[in-house]
Amino acid sequence: MREALALAEQAATAGDIPVGALVVDADGHVIGRGHNTREHDHDPLGHAEIVALREAAAHLGSWRLDDCTLVVTLEPCTMCAGAIVQSRIARLVFGTFDAKAGAVGSLWDVVRDRRLPHRPEVASGVLADECAQILREFFQGHRH
């Protein structure tokens, strides 16, 4: 999670909402990294999770990320939760909950919906205070 926080800092430096994510393979190697790039790239899909999932899939040469873990500083939104299910991520670890857009327990629980063919294991609240603090600081600096 500390590496994901460092990636979130990179997003903030680039003017994007500070969210960082990484994908770790079964052997513990980081195979995908990402941070929010929506503002920088003018891309609505530029969420940290999507960027990290794409890099991991390219690394493996497969969209199936079985036995991989996605670590992200903020609870995924509905788009990212859907991508997590579709990529067959085995485990999702996230920092702080997102009361406004979270889709892993806050507003919805997409990844644990029994109607879907794949449901990753979920761990939440990892370094939650630090993950929330970087967001608070970013938004305090952007509100006038």
Side-chain angles (χ1 to χ4, degrees), residues 25 34-35 43-45 47 51 58-59 66 69 71-72 79-81 83 86 88-89 100 107 112 118-119 122 124 139:
D25 70 12
H35 59 73
D43 180 2
L45 304 181
H47 289 212
V51 175
H59 175 86
D66 301 310
T69 300
V71 179
V72 61
M79 175 182 70
C80 294
Q86 291 300 317
R88 308 299 193 262
I89 283 284
K100 293 181 179 179
L107 296 180
R112 290 180 279 221
H118 176 75
R119 291 179 298 282
V122 177
S124 59
F139 285 114

Side-chain angles (χ1 to χ4, degrees), residues 40-68:
H40 181 269
D41 293 346
H42 312 290
D43 180 2
L45 304 181
H47 289 212
E49 300 94 323
I50 301 298
V51 175
L53 291 170
R54 283 179 172 158
E55 188 173 292
H59 175 86
L60 293 177
S62 174
W63 60 268
R64 289 179 183 87
L65 301 178
D66 301 310
D67 299 322
C68 291

